[in-house]
Amino acid sequence: MRLTALALSAALLTPLIAAADEDSVPPVTDPLVKTECGECHMAFQSAFLPAASWRKIILTLDNHFGEDASLDVGTRDKIESYLTANAGRGRVDRANPPLRITKLGWFLSEHRESEVKRMRKKRSVKTLADCATCHRDADRGYFD
Amino acid sequence: MFAQGKSETPACTTCHTASPSKMGETRAGKPIEPMAVSVTPDRYTDPKKMAKWFRRNCKSVLGRECTAQEKGDFLTFMISQ
């Protein structure tokens, strides 16, 4: 299926999808993570990034892609545990882990520039971080 | 007062729009309930939630925490809207 494109891409990281269903990415199940990480954007599936990336994101929440997304220590630690336990696997430069899902090799392969331009115009998509505008069931893990 | 925070969020209106009774939108495209109590009556009822958002948004927009006075003024205004 389209997911084979993930394996073939010259990506730094391919998310290893733990689910038995090839067409879906395990959605966030932890209610705290879903709530806190879903207030400003969809709670991105933890398999999309490796543990090193999640750790760095959690460490830098006071400057989270241009905004303060800081959390109290208890909440932060719980969220970090969940994300790192359910993270994607694969090679990663731990000193410089990727932070933007939308810049990962597999993501770019799935979202070719010409197609993206066309879709963004058609659906008035503000940002590629807004999965759900095109992928209606993204929060449940379906991206077809 | 402004322009001390992050360049991505120069003002409250960046996400909340210029009207307290209108829906806002995050930079990632997620809808935000209106700030006005007349439209969103339960908006300022959870102290923990309020503390979190004041901390984050004041830092993002102003580059610092809001004072108690400022938070009070903001709430007073939103309650009147």
Side-chain angles (χ1 to χ4, degrees):
Chain A
M1 257 231 83
R2 282 175 65 74
L3 276 177
T4 54
L6 297 176
L8 292 172
S9 73
L12 182 63
L13 173 75
T14 306
L16 262 187
I17 313 302
D21 183 350
E22 200 191 71
D23 293 343
S24 72
V25 181
V28 173
T29 51
D30 184 290
L32 185 67
V33 178
K34 202 168 167 147
T35 302
E36 295 294 342
C37 304
E39 301 220 74
C40 302
H41 54 64
M42 181 183 87
F44 302 120
Q45 280 77 357
S46 46
F48 282 157
L49 286 171
S53 297
W54 289 124
R55 263 182 229 115
K56 186 158 185 191
I57 285 172
I58 296 289
L59 260 177
T60 55
L61 283 176
D62 57 340
N63 187 6
H64 184 63
F65 299 96
E67 279 187 60
D68 187 319
S70 57
L71 291 162
D72 63 87
V73 177
T75 306
R76 197 190 67 200
D77 288 348
K78 283 188 190 142
I79 291 175
E80 186 181 3
S81 295
Y82 175 86
L83 291 173
T84 52
N86 295 284
R89 282 159 266 158
R91 275 185 346 228
V92 59
D93 177 359
R94 280 176 200 220
N96 215 7
L99 299 184
R100 279 187 193 272
I101 294 167
T102 55
K103 294 290 185 210
L104 294 175
W106 63 262
F107 186 94
L108 294 169
S109 299
E110 293 286 343
H111 300 81
R112 299 230 169 260
E113 202 173 329
S114 53
E115 169 85 5
V116 166
K117 268 199 181 131
R118 197 173 62 82
M119 291 304 281
R120 285 183 84 158
K121 260 170 119 172
K122 190 175 166 186
R123 304 261 180 109
S124 76
V125 173
K126 193 170 176 170
T127 159
L128 283 177
D130 181 13
C131 314
T133 297
C134 295
H135 303 280
R136 297 297 164 97
D137 290 317
D139 64 336
R140 294 196 298 126
Y142 299 103
F143 293 89
D144 279 341
Chain B
M1 185 194 188
F2 293 96
Q4 301 295 319
K6 304 195 191 299
S7 55
E8 290 88 345
T9 50
C12 310
T13 53
T14 304
C15 297
H16 291 287
T17 80
S19 168
S21 52
K22 287 215 169 93
M23 290 285 291
E25 197 180 70
T26 67
R27 285 165 54 228
K30 207 150 200 213
I32 305 175
E33 294 295 314
M35 305 248 263
V37 169
S38 62
V39 186
T40 317
D42 64 346
R43 195 166 185 58
Y44 307 108
T45 55
D46 182 343
K48 248 187 121 181
K49 200 172 175 184
M50 283 166 59
K52 179 177 81 178
W53 286 108
F54 269 130
R55 180 187 72 234
R56 288 176 172 182
N57 292 164
C58 290
K59 281 193 168 171
S60 289
V61 174
L62 303 177
R64 60 169 174 84
E65 298 251 24
C66 287
T67 64
Q69 178 74 48
E70 286 165 335
K71 291 177 194 176
D73 288 348
F74 170 88
L75 289 171
T76 303
F77 178 64
M78 289 306 167
I79 287 165
S80 74
Q81 292 299 297

